[in-house]
Amino acid sequence: MVSPNKQTISAKKTSKSKSLLASIVVLGVTCGSLSYNKDAILQGIMNQQLVSSSSSVANVNQARQQRNVQEYVAASTEEYIMHHLDDLNLRDDKTRAKGCKIWFDPEATTQETYHNLRSYRDEIDVYAKAIKDFSKLVPNLVETIRRGGSAGTTNQEILCKTVRPHPDGIQALFPSKQLSLTPAGYAEPLLTPMRHPSFCEEDHHINKLRTDYLVHDYEQMCLNLKPHSKTIFVDMGASLEFHNEEVDPPVMALLNEFEKFGFHFDHIYAFEITQTDPNKVYRELLPEKYFPSYHWINTGVSAEVEDRLNPLKSIISRFDEDDLIIVKLDIDTGSIEVPMANQLLEDESISKLVDLFYFESHGFMKANAGFNLIHGLREKGVAAHFWV
């Protein structure tokens, strides 16, 4: 797991600092015109260093540390849910979870909580639009930091600001202050119905697959990177033949969003038990851009701790805390995925390595157990999210 530890940072002065600033500013323009030499710009960023005095170094350290917390900080709405799980565990009818009441009924919670929820509901749409409309040209962040030696310098701080969805940072999109805070930055609060709130509204069968309510703090994740960081995505339940033709496979949407914000994975380990012709995988289903990093592993996973088909041990344990490691667990088999999720929760040697975790229990866990699991992982330092 990447963690922004305090460091003593030194940087050499250079007469080319203004040129570097100009190069990074170019990254902030939209991609409407690509008449400039993109490769030259990125090479300029990687080869140059910014002037860094002792005061600017202190500012960088402050920027890296100001949101870093040793303990998970949950939003007030999430705190309310966690203290009232027993009241939100059952279903009212065949279509709507009882938890949907918190979005419509002022008496289902408190006046303050209801007000915050309604404000946050509107802010989710604003955030989703900001992510969708984001059009800056962002380089491969890890490679830029690797080749430019910019980790922990003002250079990296400025580079990471280019992935802000709002000029004042992601929190500016949420004036209700209903974001929770993890080592990977801000995240959506854990709320019922464990999906996009629109699941409680019209056309909920489509809305239950929406992932645009998941909040990712790309700026903080960028600040956490080191020159030697690797980027790893482990996908358990990686079928590329999605069952709903009305929307793209959620995992592809997730990978595309990370790439849009400059995170290109060094390795994608894709486990899928449903046998699929490799020709179909690589000729029809998998976008060609993922060929260099994609490992198609057409077999199921195991929850046995020492089994080589348990990726938590056979793959993740081989990486480092400075690596960015993201895990999705969605295999439709409760007897395997619930023990694996609990293993992540209980085994600190694994949880300290994982930065983000996506999990859907498929009804194998009661709502209160699901909340306790995801909330518990966040308290362990893992930015865990409910998956679809």
Side-chain angles (χ1 to χ4, degrees):
M1 173 187 296
V2 179
S3 57
N5 298 320
K6 292 184 178 180
Q7 302 177 15
T8 301
I9 304 168
S10 63
K12 296 180 180 179
K13 292 185 178 182
T14 171
S15 61
K16 296 182 179 181
S17 60
K18 292 183 179 180
S19 175
L20 174 61
L21 280 170
S23 296
I24 294 179
V25 168
V26 173
L27 295 175
V29 303
T30 62
C31 299
S33 173
L34 298 179
S35 59
Y36 55 85
N37 189 325
K38 173 185 172 183
D39 291 336
I41 291 171
L42 300 187
Q43 192 63 44
I45 294 174
M46 292 184 284
N47 291 341
Q48 299 176 45
Q49 291 211 353
L50 186 66
V51 171
S52 178
S53 65
S54 58
S55 60
S56 66
V57 170
N59 290 337
V60 175
N61 279 335
Q62 181 179 4
R64 292 175 64 119
Q65 296 295 326
Q66 63 182 350
R67 290 189 288 165
N68 182 36
V69 291
Q70 298 301 317
E71 296 182 359
Y72 173 57
V73 181
S76 65
T77 48
E78 179 179 332
E79 288 285 358
Y80 180 90
I81 296 297
M82 293 306 300
H83 286 96
H84 296 82
L85 288 175
D86 291 341
D87 301 327
L88 303 169
N89 192 25
L90 304 177
R91 287 182 173 271
D92 284 330
D93 53 47
K94 295 181 180 180
T95 59
R96 294 193 178 189
K98 185 176 182 180
C100 286
K101 282 187 175 182
I102 68 172
W103 300 100
F104 306 116
D105 185 358
E107 297 182 358
T109 57
T110 65
Q111 287 295 324
E112 179 182 4
T113 300
Y114 179 74
H115 172 75
N116 286 334
L117 286 168
R118 293 311 307 171
S119 297
Y120 175 72
R121 174 65 185 90
D122 293 336
E123 292 160 5
I124 292 174
D125 291 338
V126 174
Y127 167 78
K129 186 176 188 303
I131 296 299
K132 181 180 179 180
D133 293 346
F134 186 87
S135 57
K136 296 176 184 176
L137 179 65
V138 180
N140 184 320
L141 296 174
V142 179
E143 288 209 354
T144 302
I145 294 170
R146 283 175 187 163
R147 298 166 68 177
S150 63
T153 69
T154 305
N155 184 343
Q156 183 175 355
E157 182 188 359
I158 297 175
L159 176 66
C160 295
K161 283 183 178 179
T162 65
V163 300
R164 287 182 172 183
H166 185 282
D168 296 326
I170 192 172
Q171 64 271 34
L173 297 171
F174 295 89
S176 68
K177 302 185 185 302
Q178 290 307 306
L179 290 181
S180 296
L181 184 58
T182 77
Y186 289 108
E188 77 285 351
L190 301 177
L191 303 170
T192 55
M194 299 182 285
R195 296 182 185 270
H196 195 291
S198 61
F199 173 68
C200 298
E201 301 163 2
E202 188 176 2
D203 295 328
H204 69 280
H205 290 297
I206 296 175
N207 289 332
K208 73 178 181 179
L209 298 174
R210 291 180 61 178
T211 60
D212 56 348
Y213 79 103
L214 300 175
V215 175
H216 299 104
D217 193 342
Y218 294 110
E219 179 184 6
Q220 185 62 52
M221 284 188 272
C222 173
L223 288 170
N224 291 349
L225 294 171
K226 310 292 194 303
H228 55 273
S229 295
K230 301 179 184 68
T231 51
I232 310 299
F233 190 96
V234 178
D235 187 0
M236 291 179 272
S239 174
L240 297 173
E241 296 184 284
F242 195 53
H243 54 271
N244 192 310
E245 297 181 355
E246 297 181 61
V247 295
D248 292 331
V251 70
M252 285 291 112
L254 184 67
L255 291 174
N256 286 332
E257 184 177 311
F258 268 86
E259 182 178 338
K260 182 179 184 178
F261 284 86
F263 291 87
H264 300 249
F265 292 100
D266 296 314
H267 296 284
I268 302 172
Y269 298 96
F271 289 82
E272 174 54 45
I273 194 171
T274 303
Q275 293 301 299
T276 310
D277 185 347
N279 279 310
K280 185 174 185 179
V281 172
Y282 286 96
R283 290 186 179 278
E284 300 178 23
L285 301 176
L286 181 68
E288 186 176 346
K289 64 181 179 180
Y290 293 118
F291 279 21
S293 60
Y294 202 85
H295 309 273
W296 174 250
I297 307 171
N298 204 180
T299 186
V301 297
S302 171
E304 296 297 324
V305 174
E306 300 302 328
D307 195 313
R308 65 170 57 192
L309 291 179
N310 182 335
L312 298 181
K313 286 292 187 178
S314 61
I315 294 178
I316 293 173
S317 64
R318 299 178 184 274
F319 290 97
D320 186 85
E321 288 185 61
D322 285 341
D323 297 324
L324 175 64
I325 300 178
I326 301 175
V327 179
K328 179 181 79 69
L329 178 55
D330 181 16
I331 60 174
D332 299 357
T333 306
S335 61
I336 297 177
E337 62 185 3
V338 173
M340 289 192 74
N342 283 323
Q343 182 185 341
L344 178 61
L345 175 65
E346 297 165 4
D347 190 340
E348 187 176 345
S349 70
I350 301 299
S351 63
K352 71 179 182 180
L353 300 175
V354 177
D355 293 274
L356 285 82
F357 179 64
Y358 303 91
F359 178 72
E360 185 189 15
S361 64
H362 296 283
F364 300 126
M365 304 176 72
K366 291 185 177 180
N368 55 354
F371 270 97
N372 285 326
L373 170 66
I374 301 301
H375 185 83
L377 283 167
R378 288 189 173 190
E379 290 183 322
K380 288 289 184 71
V382 181
H385 306 263
F386 289 119
W387 188 243
V388 298

